[in-house]
Amino acid sequence: MTRSRFDFRIKFDANREVFVLTVAPEVTSLDGRGVNPKAYEAHAICMSPNLFVVRIPDNEIPSDFVAFGDNNLPRGIELIELRFVGSKVCFTFQLSDEALLHITPTVYRAWMQALLQAGVSIDAFARQ
């Protein structure tokens, strides 16, 4: 038996001067062994609500991965849509401000909070 979950992380890309949300579909067996997943860059499509889309090649998603399930998303993150486009699976996620702050590294958290409060956070993220 396995457990599926999405792993979310935010990093700052200094070359592009934007924050990047990465998403990795992860499968872990009950004994704790898991696959070290590849992370894919998500793109902001709007803020307030905070919507991000990530496109993952279907052949790179673990075969036993379950997108919809109990406890496979961190608190404050919701899977809004799942679409198949060609050979990719498009996942659209909605993240609460609290969830964005939680996955933001501590060093950037005050900056992120200021952007969210000012309502200009869309400009801080990689977009399509």
Side-chain angles (χ1 to χ4, degrees), residues 10-21 41-43 108 111-112 115 121-127:
I10 289 181
K11 62 182 181 177
F12 186 74
D13 184 332
N15 294 328
R16 293 185 290 171
E17 297 183 345
V18 294
F19 284 103
V20 176
L21 172 68
E41 185 173 316
H43 296 95
Y108 300 121
W111 185 12
M112 179 65 68
L115 292 170
S121 53
I122 186 78
D123 297 325
F125 280 94
R127 294 191 289 191

Side-chain angles (χ1 to χ4, degrees), residues 66-79:
V66 178
F68 296 99
D70 293 338
N71 302 318
N72 65 347
L73 289 170
R75 191 171 73 178
I77 300 177
E78 187 177 341
L79 178 57

Side-chain angles (χ1 to χ4, degrees), residues 8 10 74-75 77 96-106 109 112:
F8 294 85
I10 289 181
R75 191 171 73 178
I77 300 177
S96 68
D97 287 354
E98 293 78 20
L100 275 175
L101 288 173
H102 180 74
I103 62 175
T104 299
T106 307
R109 205 165 286 154
M112 179 65 68

Side-chain angles (χ1 to χ4, degrees), residues 32-47:
R33 289 181 291 152
V35 176
N36 187 9
K38 178 179 175 183
Y40 298 87
E41 185 173 316
H43 296 95
I45 51 178
C46 82
M47 301 305 264

Side-chain angles (χ1 to χ4, degrees), residues 1-7 24-35 37 62 64-75:
M1 185 162 199
T2 60
R3 178 178 178 259
S4 299
R5 74 179 192 99
F6 288 97
D7 183 44
E26 183 178 272
V27 176
T28 307
S29 65
L30 292 181
D31 63 4
R33 289 181 291 152
V35 176
D64 49 353
F65 184 78
V66 178
F68 296 99
D70 293 338
N71 302 318
N72 65 347
L73 289 170
R75 191 171 73 178

